[in-house]
């Protein structure tokens, strides 16, 4: 692997603005900020005329590297179909027409009032996004609870890593993605990466793995596909989709049998090991090989590699996006605990957050069951604290609402919301069983979408509000390390565009909401600090000035003279007794197994050039040129059996829908499994197929495995 592979060089992807909007007055010279996309939050300088992006070398996460998406991020500011005026339908079935901000906001307030008067506060729902700044996520949660007084709020981060969050809370009492600064990875003797293809999803991350390898470290990758990340591994375990939990239990069984369990650590720092020990007895190697397809010698080799001094076990979406996602992550945490890793210098268990502010977005009140500071909404003390900051009676705060998929599935039903306000999300493409979600959205009485373009979801809205983008706004983001960073405004938003904070403030005023509704991110952050004080995710010691001076501050940080917490758990875990908790978990397979009608596993994921629902990246020419179309990746032997050849249009069908995509043959995938990226809408939409079976704890859907059948698409492209 070379430097350009991991994004050091722009090549022909210069990031130069090519859109048609007038970029306005000269921006100041380059402003240091961060990438709009993933949780690595690469540092970049943004500025010039036309606006360009260059990487920052002072940010440890990327240290001078960017991927294609980062290099071209400036083009997003001036995409030709950028919205610069609100749009509204005069009535059901009428087209979206430009209108004034007052007309749009008055209409929203009137419809909210009308529907809540008829059906109660929960008639209006709110759906947020894991890309929103901490300030916006905080304000959106507050808006739902005290302006709308609805319990019906959740966000697309529920689809991203909520299973890891649930498992982290279960084991350690705290959900912080990485337990160490990212630069610690280079010193690890062994890294076990489960279900993460960082070479494609966050390429500059690879430099940390390359440094680790150069220092003599080893990498184990668990993935059903031999991805570009797996190709860098010293050992690649390629299990059947949906069997990671059994693999983790099998590795723990071997660690027990071969005497690798750190008994001193288990006795001093953990509880519940005996209950796990009993369960693990049933995961003898031959049985685990039968379940997972991973050869016993490979499992033995993995366990041996995990017994070195500094070891990190990391999971990502491949382990988490399952109906048993929380238990799957728990199984890997059990393995880490048995080996004595969490809370040991340079070692531990961590989860790789996906979305730009996936970490911060889930800490400050967008989740259905949470208040700011990672507080539980059904905890009386938490309600009293947050209500005092907001200046309201705790009695008016609603209780927990529905999780993301359950909220979407209830839209327009007798018991669900009749209206939805949606910020920073495109569920028509990104939600599982998307055809049905589309129908639920169409059944709403009233839909409001704030976005920078007419996404596939926004085209269905009654009111569309043009909102500012990353380089046009200020705030904070919390990256995958748990480091709170400053997003700085580099350019003004185009005329006619408003920030989400301005939109929420205007709506709160029209709804006569109590409390303060500042449009200044710095003021909102001050309020967030107070609201989070004393919570698990305590930001009260973090200030904009400290972030600037220190290059970011790790939470928890409970006082301004507190150094922040780059390595939590060195002394104690965040549980009441300070011990980490083992929890016994059993393999139970995929929610939908293959059968005679649907004989092949489908797994979904991302590609290098695109991000999430593609609403941003599908508008950027160099990224479209790099990856123009949806596709299905399958093994040549499977293709041969099905009469499918390279480049052929293939009809992929599951019990929930169908998609037509081009065949890509590769021997890097299992014979029984196909892969589809989920960035596209229409007939190539992977989420038309996916299974919304939910994890019972995290309520995360099973994006990573379902049963499908494939056949040549004789009738061309047609969506069912
Ligand atoms: Fe870095 Fe992620 Fe942005 Fe790529 S998309 S430049 S990896 S933050």
């Amino acid at each position: 692997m070379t430097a350009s592979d991991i994004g050091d060089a722009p090549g022909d992807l210069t990031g130069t603005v090519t859109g048609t909007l007038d970029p306005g007055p000269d921006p100041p010279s380059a402003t240091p900020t961060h990438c709009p996309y993933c949780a690595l939050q690469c540092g970049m300088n943004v500025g010039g005329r036309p606006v360009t992006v260059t990487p920052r070398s002072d940010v440890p996460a990327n240290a001078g590297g960017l991927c294609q998406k980062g290099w071209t991020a400036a083009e997003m500011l001036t995409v030709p179909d950028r919205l610069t005026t609100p749009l509204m339908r005069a009535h059901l079935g009428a087209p979206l027409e430009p209108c004034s901000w007052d007309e749009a906001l008055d209409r929203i307030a009137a419809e909210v009032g009308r529907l809540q008067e008829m059906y109660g506060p929960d008639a209006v729902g709110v759906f947020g996004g894991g890309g929103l700044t901490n300030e916006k996520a905080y304000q959106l949660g507050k808006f739902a609870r005290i302006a709308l007084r609805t319990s019906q709020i959740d966000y697309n981060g529920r689809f991203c890593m909520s299973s890891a969050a649930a498992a982290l809370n279960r084991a350690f009492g705290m959900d912080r993605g990485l337990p160490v600064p990212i630069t610690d990875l280079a010193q690890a003797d062994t890294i076990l990466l489960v279900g993460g293809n960082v070479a494609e999803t966050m390429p500059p991350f690879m430099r940390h793995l390359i440094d680790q390898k150069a220092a003599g470290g080893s990498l184990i990758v668990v993935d059903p596909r031999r991805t570009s990340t797996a190709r860098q591994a010293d050992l690649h375990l390629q299990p059947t989709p949906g069997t990671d939990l059994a693999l983790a239990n099998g590795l723990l069984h071997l660690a027990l049998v071969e005497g690798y369990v750190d008994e001193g650590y288990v006795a001093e720092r953990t509880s519940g090991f005996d209950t796990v020990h009993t369960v693990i007895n049933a995961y003898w190697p031959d049985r685990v090989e039968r379940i997972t397809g991973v050869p016993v010698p490979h499992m033995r080799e993995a366990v041996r590699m995990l017994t070195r001094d500094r070891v990190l076990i990391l999971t990502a979406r491949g382990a988490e996006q399952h109906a048993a996602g929380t238990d799957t992550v728990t199984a890997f945490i059990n393995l880490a605990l048995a080996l004595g890793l969490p809370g040991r210098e340079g070692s531990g268990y961590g989860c790789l957050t996906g979305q730009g502010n996936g970490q911060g977005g889930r800490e400050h009140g967008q989740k259905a069951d949470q208040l700011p500071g990672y507080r539980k909404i059904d905890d009386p003390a938490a309600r009293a604290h947050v209500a005092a900051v907001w200046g309201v009676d705790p009695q008016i705060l609603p209780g927990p609402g529905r999780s993301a998929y359950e909220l979407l599935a209830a839209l327009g039903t007798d018991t669900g919301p009749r209206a939805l306000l949606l910020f920073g999300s495109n569920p028509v493409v990104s939600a599982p069983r998307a055809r049905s979600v589309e129908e639920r959205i169409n059944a709403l009485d009233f839909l409001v979408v704030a976005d920078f373009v007419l996404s596939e979801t926004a085209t269905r809205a009654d009111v569309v509000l043009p909102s500012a983008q990353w380089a046009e706004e200020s705030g904070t983001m919390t990256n995958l390390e748990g480091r709170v960073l400053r997003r700085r405004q580099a350019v003004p938003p185009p005329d006619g565009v408003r920030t989400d904070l301005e939109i929420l403030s205007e709506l709160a005023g029209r709804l006569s909401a109590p409390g303060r509704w500042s449009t200044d991110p710095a003021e909102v952050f001050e309020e967030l600090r107070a609201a989070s004080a004393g919570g698990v995710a305590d930001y009260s010691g973090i200030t904009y000035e400290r972030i600037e001076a220190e290059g970011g501050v790790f939470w928890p940080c409970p006082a301004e003279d507190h150094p922040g917490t780059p390595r939590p758990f060195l002394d104690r875990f965040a549980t009441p007794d300070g011990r980490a908790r083992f929890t016994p978990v059993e393999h139970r397979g995929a929610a939908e197994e293959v059968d005679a009608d649907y004989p092949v596993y489908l797994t979904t994921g991302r590609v290098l050039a695109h991000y999430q629902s593609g609403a941003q990246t599908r508008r950027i020419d160099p990224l479209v040129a790099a990856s123009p179309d949806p596709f299905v990746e399958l093994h040549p032997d499977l293709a041969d059996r099905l009469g499918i050849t390279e480049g052929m249009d293939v009809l992929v069908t599951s019990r929930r829908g169908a998609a037509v995509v081009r065949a890509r043959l590769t021997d890097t995938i299992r014979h029984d499994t196909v892969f589809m990226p989920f960035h596209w809408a229409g007939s190539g939409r992977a989420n038309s197929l996916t299974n919304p079976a939910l994890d019972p704890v995290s309520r995360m859907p099973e994006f990573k495995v379902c049963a499908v059948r494939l056949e040549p698409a004789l009738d061309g492209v047609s969506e069912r």
Side-chain angles (χ1 to χ4, degrees):
M1 173 166 278
T2 66
S4 63
D5 290 330
I6 61 171
D8 275 343
D12 59 350
L13 306 176
T14 59
T16 303
V17 170
T18 57
T20 55
L21 290 177
D22 183 341
D26 274 344
S29 60
T31 301
T33 186
H34 294 268
C35 178
Y37 296 113
C38 83
L40 197 57
Q41 282 297 288
C42 293
M44 54 173 55
N45 292 307
V46 179
R49 185 185 172 92
V51 179
T52 55
V53 160
T54 52
R56 288 167 62 187
S57 54
D58 62 331
V59 175
N62 62 308
L66 293 176
C67 76
Q68 289 177 324
K69 297 184 288 290
W71 278 111
T72 56
E75 298 199 20
M76 212 198 302
L77 301 169
T78 53
V79 292
D81 59 344
R82 177 87 195 259
L83 296 173
T84 55
T85 182
L87 304 172
M88 189 162 73
R89 288 182 211 283
H91 55 80
L92 187 65
L96 282 168
E97 305 269 15
C99 65
S100 72
W101 272 97
D102 278 341
E103 287 171 321
L105 295 165
D106 288 347
R107 169 89 178 278
I108 296 167
E111 289 291 333
V112 164
R114 182 179 72 80
L115 291 166
Q116 288 192 320
E117 198 175 314
M118 288 172 68
Y119 302 107
D122 282 358
V124 179
V126 176
F127 201 86
L132 302 181
T133 61
N134 289 317
E135 291 78 357
K136 294 196 294 189
Y138 167 82
Q139 201 81 324
L140 191 61
K142 175 181 165 184
F143 179 82
R145 273 57 178 251
I146 67 171
L148 298 173
R149 299 197 185 176
T150 180
S151 68
Q152 300 298 296
I153 175 171
D154 212 68
Y155 80 128
N156 64 17
R158 182 78 70 169
F159 299 159
C160 181
M161 58 159 296
S162 54
S163 290
L168 281 159
N169 283 324
R170 181 194 261 178
F172 305 140
M174 188 171 102
D175 156 30
R176 238 272 311 263
L178 282 183
V180 293
I182 198 164
T183 43
D184 279 15
L185 267 62
Q187 280 95 52
D189 295 311
T190 300
I191 295 175
L192 169 62
L193 174 58
V194 186
N197 183 14
V198 288
E200 292 217 39
T201 56
M202 46 179 72
F205 187 99
M206 287 302 289
R207 74 172 51 240
H208 303 286
L209 300 183
I210 291 168
D211 288 349
Q212 185 237 0
K213 206 163 191 174
S218 306
L219 175 66
I220 309 168
V221 169
V222 177
D223 200 307
R225 302 162 61 214
R226 195 165 77 246
T227 61
S228 14
T229 312
R231 284 198 283 276
Q232 307 302 317
D234 300 278
L235 178 62
H236 175 205
L237 309 181
Q238 205 165 0
T240 305
T243 65
D244 291 344
L245 195 164
L247 178 64
N249 280 357
L251 296 177
L252 179 50
H253 180 102
L254 282 169
L256 272 163
V257 169
E258 297 186 9
Y260 294 137
V261 170
D262 186 337
E263 289 175 3
Y265 171 96
V266 168
E268 281 171 30
R269 301 214 52 191
T270 72
S271 60
F273 181 63
D274 289 348
T275 56
V276 169
H277 196 161
T278 309
V279 166
I280 292 301
N281 285 338
Y283 289 81
W284 61 89
D286 289 344
R287 178 182 175 227
V288 173
E289 178 175 319
R290 280 198 300 279
I291 296 171
T292 64
V294 176
V296 172
H298 288 187
M299 286 187 262
R300 286 193 196 284
E301 176 66 4
V303 170
R304 192 192 57 73
M305 290 163 72
L306 291 172
T307 59
R308 297 175 72 187
D309 190 29
R310 297 168 73 100
V311 175
L312 284 161
I313 296 180
L314 307 174
T315 64
R317 304 302 83 71
E320 298 155 15
Q321 290 179 324
H322 293 279
T326 304
D327 282 356
T328 301
V329 175
T330 297
F332 283 101
I333 292 177
N334 287 342
L335 175 64
L337 288 172
L339 296 171
L341 307 180
R344 192 167 93 200
E345 191 79 44
S347 296
Y349 161 81
C351 140
L352 297 183
T353 305
Q355 293 193 78
N357 198 27
Q359 177 79 61
R362 68 179 182 271
E363 295 163 0
H364 298 298
Q366 277 189 99
K367 274 178 95 173
D369 54 351
Q370 275 182 10
L371 290 172
Y374 226 120
R375 289 183 155 88
K376 299 294 289 179
I377 202 167
D378 53 5
D379 172 3
R383 293 168 66 87
H385 173 86
V386 174
V389 174
W390 289 348
V392 300
D393 184 337
Q395 296 293 331
I396 76 162
L397 301 182
R402 293 177 169 93
S403 73
Y405 180 75
E406 292 164 298
L407 175 59
L408 294 170
L411 297 176
T413 65
D414 288 346
T415 56
R418 315 296 294 239
L420 186 71
L421 276 54
L422 195 143
F423 290 77
S425 189
N426 188 16
V428 162
V429 179
S430 61
R433 200 183 189 183
R435 191 74 186 271
S436 149
V437 167
E438 200 177 318
E439 287 167 8
R440 297 310 340 138
I441 286 174
N442 291 344
L444 283 166
D445 291 353
F446 191 63
L447 174 65
V448 179
V449 175
D451 211 328
F452 80 110
V453 290
L454 267 185
S455 69
E456 287 76 13
T457 307
T459 57
R460 291 166 165 78
D462 299 282
V463 178
V464 181
L465 303 174
S467 56
Q469 291 196 59
W470 105 107
E472 301 160 352
E473 61 180 9
S474 295
T476 58
M477 304 282 279
T478 306
N479 77 354
L480 80 178
E481 303 169 281
R483 192 193 307 245
V484 184
L485 303 165
R486 282 279 284 118
R487 171 178 279 187
R488 298 177 186 83
Q489 187 190 41
V491 294
D495 286 345
V497 166
R498 295 191 183 179
T499 67
D500 290 341
L501 292 182
E502 289 170 338
I503 292 169
L504 293 173
S505 175
E506 289 282 349
L507 286 175
R510 282 169 171 77
L511 295 168
S512 303
R516 293 169 58 241
W517 298 92
S518 176
T519 59
D520 177 356
E523 287 183 8
V524 176
F525 190 75
E526 287 304 305
E527 193 180 299
L528 180 160
R529 290 176 62 199
S532 76
V536 174
D538 191 332
Y539 280 40
S540 60
I542 304 175
T543 65
Y544 277 18
E545 293 73 26
R546 280 193 66 183
I547 299 172
E548 304 274 2
E550 299 172 29
V553 181
F554 290 85
W555 73 266
C557 182
E560 287 191 34
D561 60 358
H562 186 283
T565 314
R567 297 174 184 83
F569 315 140
L570 290 179
D571 302 321
R572 73 188 308 278
F573 295 96
T575 53
D577 64 2
R579 289 168 173 264
R581 294 179 284 234
F582 280 97
T583 304
V585 288
E586 292 271 19
H587 167 70
R588 50 185 186 270
E592 182 183 65
E593 287 290 354
V594 293
D595 58 17
D597 292 332
Y598 299 95
V600 178
Y601 291 110
L602 168 70
T603 190
T604 63
R606 288 168 48 191
V607 297
L608 177 65
H610 290 291
Y611 183 70
Q612 306 299 69
S613 78
Q616 296 151 304
T617 51
R618 282 187 279 117
R619 288 177 160 80
I620 296 179
D621 291 343
L623 300 180
V624 172
S627 193
D629 299 313
F631 60 88
V632 60
E633 192 178 280
L634 71 165
H635 195 281
D637 292 350
L638 176 62
D640 197 41
R641 283 208 305 279
L642 299 173
I644 292 169
T645 54
E646 174 73 27
M648 176 184 276
D649 281 341
V650 176
L651 175 65
V652 188
T653 311
S654 78
R655 290 185 173 83
R656 292 153 294 280
V660 177
V661 284
R662 202 137 297 163
R664 241 188 228 186
L665 274 49
T666 172
D667 64 1
T668 58
I669 193 163
R670 294 172 55 97
H671 290 71
D672 58 1
T673 303
V674 299
F675 166 80
M676 285 175 65
F678 59 78
H679 309 293
W680 284 273
S683 58
R685 181 173 60 185
N687 276 320
S688 296
L689 307 162
T690 47
N691 185 359
L694 299 181
D695 181 283
V697 182
S698 69
R699 318 305 287 167
M700 178 185 249
E702 184 151 272
F703 287 102
K704 278 292 185 260
V705 57
C706 71
V708 296
R709 68 167 174 267
L710 284 78
E711 57 205 291
L714 300 177
D715 298 333
V717 177
S718 63
E719 188 184 10
R720 283 197 213 162

